[in-house]
């Protein structure tokens, strides 16, 4: 079973800055089946990135994903007030199974 | 537009079975995709519980496998979750969702509290 570890746990930044969120897998993620989600309080998770680097429909180009194997990154440039939320990575593995990371909370500094 | 709606008791007693149903509209369950359950304890992260494929094949989180059962009723276009022998640690918002590699359509979630 693949475990996803996200870092940092909390990220304090100001609007206009850039954010770099990390997701590390305990084993290689097959076919880069790694996704990122944004969740705001009281809302359901929203798909941002799939296949490690592909933006989902309607997601601004300020959001970008990169990485392969066991190390993945979500970068958010020019932070907007609405970007402050919790971010989760998620992988799809053989068997099949699905795993979520524990989340990174991005808060306004 | 695909829509999912969870329903079931909001309060379950310890040691009993938690049962939830997810009604799907705007898409036929038998047409494809996996249909799954994810939970989120208050203030915590997301945990995959299990999923069922259109064929009826089921897949469960190994940590919950001994207590989980997911079934589908294609005639009603809905699927269900049973989680047995619940404890306070099972208190969470339970979401149903459609997915393959990624989870695209979610229900609004339902809070289930385990308490006597």
């Amino acid at each position: 079973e693949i475990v996803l570890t996200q870092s940092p746990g909390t990220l304090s930044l100001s609007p206009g800055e850039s954010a770099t969120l990390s997701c590390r897998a305990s084993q290689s993620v097959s076919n880069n089946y790694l996704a990122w989600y944004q969740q705001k309080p009281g809302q359901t998770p929203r798909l941002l990135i799939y296949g490690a680097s592909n933006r989902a429909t309607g997601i601004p180009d300020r959001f970008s994903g990169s990485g392969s194997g066991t190390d993945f990154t979500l970068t958010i440039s020019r932070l907007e007030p609405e970007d402050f939320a919790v971010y989760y990575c998620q992988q799809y593995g053989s068997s099949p199974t699905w795993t979520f990371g524990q989340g990174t909370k991005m808060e306004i500094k | 537009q695909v829509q999912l709606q969870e329903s079931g008791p909001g309060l379950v007693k310890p040691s009993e079975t938690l049962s939830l149903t997810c009604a799907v509209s705007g898409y036929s369950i038998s047409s494809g995709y996996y249909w799954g359950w994810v939970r989120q304890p208050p203030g915590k992260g997301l945990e995959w519980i299990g999923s069922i494929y259109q064929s009826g094949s089921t897949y469960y989180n190994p940590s919950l496998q001994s207590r989980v059962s997911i079934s589908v009723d294609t005639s009603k276009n809905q699927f269900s979750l049973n989680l047995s022998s619940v404890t306070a640690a099972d208190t969470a918002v339970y979401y149903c969702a459609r997915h393959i590699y990624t989870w695209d359509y979610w229900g609004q979630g339902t809070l289930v509290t385990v308490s006597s």
Side-chain angles (χ1 to χ4, degrees), chain B:
Chain B
Q1 175 75 346
V2 181
Q3 293 184 317
L4 298 92
Q5 179 67 58
E6 305 90 351
S7 61
L11 181 64
V12 181
K13 289 182 168 57
S15 80
E16 295 190 343
T17 296
L18 180 160
S19 296
L20 297 174
T21 297
C22 181
V24 180
S25 59
Y27 191 87
S28 172
I29 283 181
S30 57
S31 293
Y33 285 88
Y34 292 88
W35 303 89
W37 293 92
V38 170
R39 69 181 182 178
Q40 186 169 36
K44 296 188 178 181
L46 302 167
E47 179 181 34
W48 171 62
I49 300 171
S51 300
I52 189 165
Y53 190 53
Q54 59 178 86
S55 62
S57 298
T58 52
Y59 308 91
Y60 301 130
N61 186 323
S63 68
L64 298 169
Q65 186 161 3
S66 63
R67 300 194 291 130
V68 175
S69 174
I70 295 175
S71 60
V72 64
D73 185 339
T74 53
S75 67
K76 295 182 178 180
N77 213 40
Q78 64 186 33
F79 60 107
S80 299
L81 167 70
N82 282 333
L83 179 65
S84 63
S85 305
V86 297
T87 69
D90 295 309
T91 293
V93 174
Y94 286 75
Y95 296 101
C96 61
R98 187 185 83 165
H99 69 100
I100 303 180
Y101 309 122
T102 58
W103 300 65
D104 56 2
Y105 288 97
W106 299 68
Q108 65 185 26
T110 186
L111 175 63
V112 179
T113 301
V114 178
S115 175
S116 55

Side-chain angles (χ1 to χ4, degrees), chain A residues 4-8 20-24 33-39 45-56 59 63-67 71-76 86-91 100-104, chain B residues 46 101-103:
Chain A
L4 299 178
T5 301
Q6 292 186 240
S7 61
T20 301
L21 287 67
S22 174
C23 178
R24 178 163 290 178
Y33 286 141
L34 193 287
W36 290 93
Y37 299 80
Q38 176 193 69
Q39 187 180 33
R46 173 194 182 196
L47 178 64
L48 300 174
I49 300 289
Y50 66 94
S53 60
N54 304 289
R55 272 188 300 277
I59 302 303
F63 292 85
S64 63
S66 62
D71 289 294
F72 299 87
T73 300
L74 174 69
T75 302
I76 312 170
V86 180
Y87 292 84
Y88 295 95
C89 58
Q90 171 254 316
Q91 70 89 30
F100 292 90
Q102 84 279 15
T104 289
Chain B
L46 302 167
Y101 309 122
T102 58
W103 300 65

